[in-house]
Amino acid sequence: MNPFGLPDHQIAAFARPVLEYLPAGFDAEEAEQAEIDDVGSLATLASPDVVAARIARLGVNVSTENMTERLLETSDERTVVAGLRYRNLDPDFPFVAVKTSARVNGPSAVDALAAQVSEAYRGVGVRGFTFWEQPGLDLLAAERWATCMAGSLSAASRADGRDLPGFLTISWPEAATEVFADYRHEHQAWRSGARDLAPFVSESAPEGLQEAADRGLLMSLRDDQGFAGLAAATISPLFGRRALCMLDIFLTKRLRGRGLAAAVQSSFLAGQRSGADTVWGHIHAKNQSSMRTAQKLDRRAVQQEYFVSLSAH
């Protein structure tokens, strides 16, 4: 059975927006299939068992109906899928993630979605809604949240200034437990002083870091004071192409502000053996230092997550 019971042509239509701004070098057929698969993934969130598990894990007081992924509109012109989310798993910040088969690149499209979300989630107290679109759109009603930054893996691994200073030692741990306690301590200290970014950035989970280690995609840094940072990634497709997705690049406080992040990431990319030719990752638009690091490695914005507050509508 098709996701949400939609006919084939309406499912295929979800690829239309992405295909209009698909970056050069990506395959249109692969991108189209990736969008279709994404709709299928969203449909699994409508399963009663999945809904119950999500409510229990989040510990939120929300009905099964409101947590269930749903269709807000179905037509050949526009089909809209929506689902309840919580920013950085914060129960006090519910919002709705929207996926649509039509472009959301102008005020009228934003206003139409705002009206639909407000009506569908009346009484839930959602703060707003998000959608992914082309980078650089001039949408006055929208904030920019995560930016998808992507580029050639080989170019990033050969970036100027890749060599790390001699006081840093690299290792590739087989067990995330070798670094997680130190990493968590340092990350929590960073979050306490990064008020603008803390609501959007969470520490990497030990399970995710272990998966990275199992794939040879966890790199640890040490200096004469001990743990100094890490880099971690996973294999995750981008527009249907097999790619390396950066999960974390983290440096301890004593090493920040010294221009080392690009060298750490470049060294990590040069040392890993995933076989991927593309590297990407999500960086919050306010995280200017990480944006600059990605740009130094020839990564560019290829997709943008926009957030629209319902308080403004």
Side-chain angles (χ1 to χ4, degrees):
M1 182 176 177
N2 284 351
F4 300 103
L6 294 170
D8 289 342
H9 71 280
Q10 288 185 356
I11 296 174
F14 278 96
R16 290 187 312 215
V18 166
L19 293 179
E20 288 188 18
Y21 61 84
L22 186 69
F26 286 90
D27 182 81
E29 290 186 1
E30 291 180 349
E32 180 177 11
Q33 186 59 53
E35 292 302 303
I36 292 172
D37 292 343
D38 189 44
V39 176
S41 296
L42 293 175
T44 64
L45 298 180
S47 162
D49 290 343
V50 173
V51 171
R54 291 181 67 206
I55 292 174
R57 184 176 69 252
L58 290 164
V60 292
N61 183 22
V62 64
S63 69
T64 298
E65 178 184 3
N66 285 326
M67 185 61 86
T68 301
E69 216 79 1
R70 67 184 72 176
L71 293 172
L72 300 188
E73 179 181 343
T74 57
S75 70
D76 289 353
E77 287 73 33
R78 188 175 76 157
T79 300
V80 180
V81 177
L84 190 61
R85 306 287 188 269
Y86 292 85
R87 188 182 69 180
N88 207 13
L89 305 183
D90 180 357
D92 293 327
F93 200 107
F95 68 95
V96 175
V98 171
K99 187 177 182 68
T100 172
S101 63
R103 295 294 302 271
V104 190
N105 55 359
S108 60
V110 171
D111 291 345
L113 283 178
Q116 288 179 309
V117 170
S118 295
E119 178 62 28
Y121 291 88
R122 187 183 302 276
V124 181
V126 295
R127 303 289 191 93
F129 64 95
T130 61
F131 57 91
W132 287 89
E133 251 288 358
Q134 183 175 2
L137 295 179
D138 187 15
L139 300 175
L140 297 180
E143 298 176 24
R144 295 178 184 180
W145 277 12
T147 304
C148 181
M149 301 288 289
S152 162
L153 192 151
S154 62
S157 66
R158 298 193 307 268
D160 291 340
R162 190 190 77 194
D163 295 337
L164 289 171
F167 63 82
L168 285 175
T169 301
I170 289 176
S171 65
W172 299 82
E174 294 183 358
T177 52
E178 296 179 35
V179 297
F180 185 73
D182 288 332
Y183 162 74
R184 166 173 275 181
H185 175 77
E186 293 285 349
H187 198 280
Q188 289 177 344
W190 170 81
R191 280 174 55 85
S192 66
R195 295 182 179 179
D196 288 344
L197 291 175
F200 301 95
V201 181
S202 58
E203 68 183 30
S204 294
E207 297 83 2
L209 292 179
Q210 185 56 56
E211 180 182 345
D214 291 342
R215 293 171 175 253
L217 297 174
L218 176 62
M219 185 181 83
S220 173
L221 297 168
R222 297 185 69 83
D223 61 12
D224 58 2
Q225 297 184 51
F227 176 78
L230 62 74
T234 188
I235 300 297
S236 182
L238 177 64
F239 300 126
R241 173 184 290 176
R242 186 175 187 274
L244 190 74
C245 175
M246 296 304 304
L247 298 176
D248 212 335
I249 294 288
F250 183 79
L251 292 172
T252 57
K253 183 178 180 179
R254 63 183 179 274
L255 294 184
R256 285 180 224 131
R258 300 173 62 174
L260 295 175
V264 169
Q265 187 170 159
S266 188
S267 296
F268 170 79
L269 295 174
Q272 59 80 38
R273 296 293 181 265
S274 67
D277 63 4
T278 300
V279 58
W280 67 281
H282 291 147
I283 301 174
H284 194 274
K286 292 182 179 180
N287 193 345
Q288 291 301 308
S289 61
S290 292
M291 283 288 198
R292 288 191 293 270
T293 296
Q295 290 165 352
K296 288 178 182 178
L297 301 181
D298 290 330
R299 289 167 57 189
R300 297 292 179 265
V302 296
Q303 200 170 38
Q304 180 69 54
E305 180 187 32
Y306 296 90
F307 171 78
V308 177
S309 172
L310 290 180
S311 65
H313 282 77

